[in-house]
Amino acid sequence: MVDLLRELVLLESPSLEKAPADRCCGFLADQWLLRGGIIHVLKQNHRGNHLRIVWPVSTSRPAGQLLVLGHYDTVYPTGTIAQMPFRLAKGKAFGPGAFDMKAGIVQALFAFEAVQELKIPATRNLVFLWTSDEEVGSESSREVIETEARRSEAVFVLEPSLGPRGLLKTSRKGVSDAELIVHGRASHAGLEPEKGINAIHELSAQIAQIEKWNNLRRGVTINADIVEGGSRTNVIADRAKATLDMRAWRVSDMHILEKRLRSLKPIHRGAKLEIQGGFNRPPLERKHSAALFLRAKSIAKQLGFALGEAAAGGGSDGNFTAALGVPTLDGLGAVGDGAHSNHEHVVIKTMPLRAALLAALLATS
Ligand SMILES: [Zn+2]
């Protein structure tokens, strides 16, 4: 498992660089092909290709499918490996993308092998989907993820687990990618101040309103993460923009936030508001994970370890599948720490157990 993880980490696969990402995708395709999977490379123009692998059941009865979902892209640009080489120390494997989520892919491959070698009569088609743009919002993969999820009885997401005990993620917040843009009117701040409409003043007033929507106890948050506006001194700003990070645990709260955002009215006379975007990942509510988690917990017990659960404030592609009402279990990937940082690593000895857990889930779903 470590050898394969090394190869996979050395094949750097940044979300925003197609050529290296495609090489990583090709390597993964070869690995599954070697083990008898049926490969479909879903070609992309701008992002890396997505990879879909099918392992059909041997009987001809209609079977339905189980979806194993993950992404092979990382947040690290090509060349990061020079400063952050793949290395093993104190039972851990370090390297860009090792934890988020290449070790998860390795575990899934070994789970696949286990199901085959143990000749477990699969009752459903197994579909593995490895995408190339999760770290940048899954724009090019969302449709294929949703299409596969709709055909599936359950979705198993190989995103990293949480904390040293490897907690599964049974709920995740929905996350927005929204912009509030204010259009004002420029004029000379000294000669004709009465003719200007200050977009920055308007935006500030709006942000002061929006801030009141925060409800930490309910898990509703809204933050202006980036603001920009104005052009130069002496000039009343004719444009200003805030990038808004909205999050919520509940689908109902997401709808309320979106509605409130879209019903904002200008405070300064003459100012115009424009809203772009909204929630790009809906919340993953626990009700879509609960039953699968119970089963995972009981399998883990039989394998000799205790499995816990946690809620995550960030989204993943599991948010898309759960939002369709398809049972989704997330955080089944690696145990480790330091995602998106220079100390990213996985705990090696947990890899076989996690692969066994996934194999058992696939064999019994
Ligand atoms: Zn990830």
Side-chain angles (χ1 to χ4, degrees):
M1 294 180 96
V2 170
D3 285 347
L4 199 63
L5 179 61
R6 175 187 290 113
E7 283 191 82
L8 206 46
V9 168
L10 293 182
L11 279 166
E12 293 178 283
S13 47
S15 322
L16 301 177
E17 296 174 44
K18 180 168 171 59
D22 283 347
R23 279 195 288 277
C24 185
C25 178
F27 173 79
L28 288 174
D30 290 346
Q31 293 301 317
W32 256 271
L33 196 61
L34 262 172
R35 291 160 177 85
I38 300 168
I39 308 297
H40 303 111
V41 175
L42 310 171
K43 294 242 159 69
Q44 302 299 308
N45 288 331
H46 304 294
R47 300 289 181 232
N49 297 328
H50 309 310
L51 178 61
R52 176 178 183 270
I53 303 131
V54 183
W55 174 249
V57 291
S58 41
T59 64
S60 56
R61 283 182 294 128
Q65 71 177 37
L66 302 174
L67 179 62
V68 178
L69 178 61
H71 63 91
Y72 69 80
D73 62 315
T74 75
V75 297
Y76 307 94
T78 293
T80 304
I81 197 78
Q83 288 92 51
M84 207 180 139
F86 182 85
R87 67 188 172 92
L88 304 177
K90 296 183 182 160
K92 297 169 180 168
F94 293 79
F99 180 49
D100 186 6
M101 51 160 277
K102 289 180 169 176
I105 299 179
V106 172
Q107 289 167 200
L109 189 69
F110 277 74
F112 177 50
E113 240 182 48
V115 170
Q116 288 181 313
E117 284 183 14
L118 298 171
K119 300 201 165 45
I120 295 168
T123 53
R124 301 184 193 286
N125 297 320
L126 302 184
V127 175
F128 298 82
L129 183 62
W130 306 122
T131 63
S132 66
D133 64 347
E134 195 270 350
E135 298 289 7
V136 291
S138 308
E139 214 173 298
S140 79
S141 56
R142 180 171 183 168
E143 206 179 307
V144 54
I145 291 168
E146 291 182 335
T147 304
E148 290 302 333
R150 281 193 193 95
R151 295 177 186 148
S152 302
E153 318 298 319
V155 181
F156 301 103
V157 186
L158 273 292
E159 285 286 344
S161 63
L162 195 87
R165 291 189 297 132
L167 307 177
L168 300 197
K169 294 166 177 173
T170 51
S171 55
R172 281 182 181 274
K173 279 187 171 179
V175 189
S176 81
D177 182 11
E179 285 178 351
L180 170 58
I181 301 159
V182 178
H183 302 278
R185 187 163 63 224
S187 81
H188 194 297
L191 297 180
E192 293 183 311
E194 70 286 357
K195 290 197 175 155
I197 299 166
N198 193 318
I200 294 177
H201 291 186
E202 173 67 21
L203 183 63
S204 315
Q206 294 292 347
I207 290 174
Q209 297 271 323
I210 286 171
E211 194 190 345
K212 296 180 191 145
W213 303 349
N214 277 293
N215 184 340
L216 288 181
R217 267 188 40 217
R218 215 177 148 79
V220 171
T221 61
I222 178 156
N223 282 288
D225 285 348
I226 307 167
V227 291
E228 54 191 62
S231 53
R232 55 191 304 137
T233 55
N234 286 328
V235 179
I236 290 178
D238 72 337
R239 194 171 183 281
K241 183 174 92 170
T243 303
L244 301 176
D245 178 316
M246 303 189 287
R247 290 172 195 251
W249 292 120
R250 296 177 179 85
V251 173
S252 56
D253 286 338
M254 170 181 82
H255 290 316
I256 292 171
L257 282 171
E258 285 195 319
K259 203 169 159 203
R260 284 183 126 173
L261 187 65
R262 286 183 193 281
S263 33
L264 286 174
K265 297 273 176 297
I267 294 165
H268 295 80
R269 185 196 292 261
K272 288 196 184 69
L273 306 182
E274 180 190 340
I275 309 292
Q276 297 249 336
F279 272 77
N280 61 340
R281 285 196 167 100
L284 188 168
E285 295 187 344
R286 191 178 181 278
K287 63 181 177 195
H288 298 300
S289 301
L292 285 177
F293 175 69
L294 271 184
R295 207 142 54 71
K297 203 174 157 177
S298 115
I299 291 169
K301 203 173 164 198
Q302 293 172 59
L303 290 169
F305 70 102
L307 194 62
E309 64 179 312
S316 85
D317 288 339
N319 291 51
F320 296 141
T321 64
L324 299 171
V326 184
T328 297
L329 192 56
D330 200 343
L332 279 165
V335 180
D337 199 10
H340 303 192
S341 84
N342 63 4
H343 65 281
E344 174 161 354
H345 65 268
V346 302
V347 179
I348 296 167
K349 70 163 191 264
T350 61
M351 292 177 69
L353 266 184
R354 296 279 154 161
L357 172 64
L358 179 63
L361 279 167
L362 295 177
T364 58
S365 291

